[in-house]
Amino acid sequence: MAPRPAPVRWGLILLAVGLVGLGTALVVWLRPVLAGGSTQAQTREVSAVVVTSTPCTGQAARDVVEIEVDGQKRQATLDGCGHRQGETLKVALPVPVAAGDLVVLPAGAAPTGPGLEGRLSSVLLALACVAGALYGFLLRVRLPMPRRAKAQPVASPG
C-alpha cells in the first residue's frame, strides 16, 4: 500500500495561500489610505459663459469659456464642444487654480477616484488570481492514488 501524504502539508499550503490572499485583499482595499491621500480630484462648481463654440467634428474639438476666478475674468478651455455662443453653463474648476492655460470640465463630469466599486473589483480580481494559482498548483501536483488490490477469481468447488 502506498503511503498517503501527510494532511498537515496540505493544511500548511492552504493556510499560506489563504494568508497571501488576505494580505493582497487588505493591500488593495487600503490602497488609498496607504498612498497618503485621496485620489479624488478637488473641484468647485462655477458658472461659465461660452465665448467660442467649436463644432464636434474634430478630435480636439473644445469650446472656450469665460469664468470668474478670484474676482478676475479668465478664459479657459472647456473639455467639451458644441455649446451655443453666449450659453451659460456650470463647470468644474480645479482647486487650486493653476496659472497659465486652464482646462475645465462640465459640472458632474469631474474625474473621481476608484471608490468602493473599484476597490471591490480589485479585491475580487486579486482573490481570483490567488484561486487560479492554487488551481494551477493542484493540477501540476499529481498525488499518487491508492491502488486497489485486484480481485482474485474465486475457484468454484466442484
Side-chain angles (χ1 to χ4, degrees), residues 104-139:
V104 294
L105 298 170
T112 60
L116 180 62
E117 296 88 10
R119 290 191 296 182
L120 185 60
S121 64
S122 296
V123 167
L124 291 176
L125 176 65
L127 290 178
C129 291
V130 169
L134 179 62
Y135 186 64
F137 176 76
L138 289 175
L139 287 178

Side-chain angles (χ1 to χ4, degrees), residues 66-80:
E66 188 174 74
I67 57 174
E68 188 171 325
V69 178
D70 300 328
Q72 297 179 340
K73 292 199 181 256
R74 283 184 64 181
Q75 287 194 352
T77 305
L78 176 67
D79 193 5

Side-chain angles (χ1 to χ4, degrees), residues 9-90:
R9 188 177 106 197
W10 283 105
L12 289 175
I13 290 172
L14 290 176
L15 178 67
V17 168
L19 288 176
V20 167
L22 183 64
T24 304
L26 284 174
V27 167
V28 170
W29 189 263
L30 298 174
R31 181 181 40 186
V33 174
L34 296 175
S38 172
T39 57
Q40 186 171 355
Q42 297 293 325
T43 61
R44 65 178 172 151
E45 273 190 29
V46 296
S47 293
V49 178
V50 178
V51 175
T52 306
S53 178
T54 307
C56 298
T57 55
Q59 284 184 338
R62 293 182 172 189
D63 292 344
V64 176
V65 295
E66 188 174 74
I67 57 174
E68 188 171 325
V69 178
D70 300 328
Q72 297 179 340
K73 292 199 181 256
R74 283 184 64 181
Q75 287 194 352
T77 305
L78 176 67
D79 193 5
C81 58
H83 296 90
R84 293 185 317 272
Q85 190 169 355
E87 180 181 356
T88 302
L89 52 118
K90 296 280 188 184

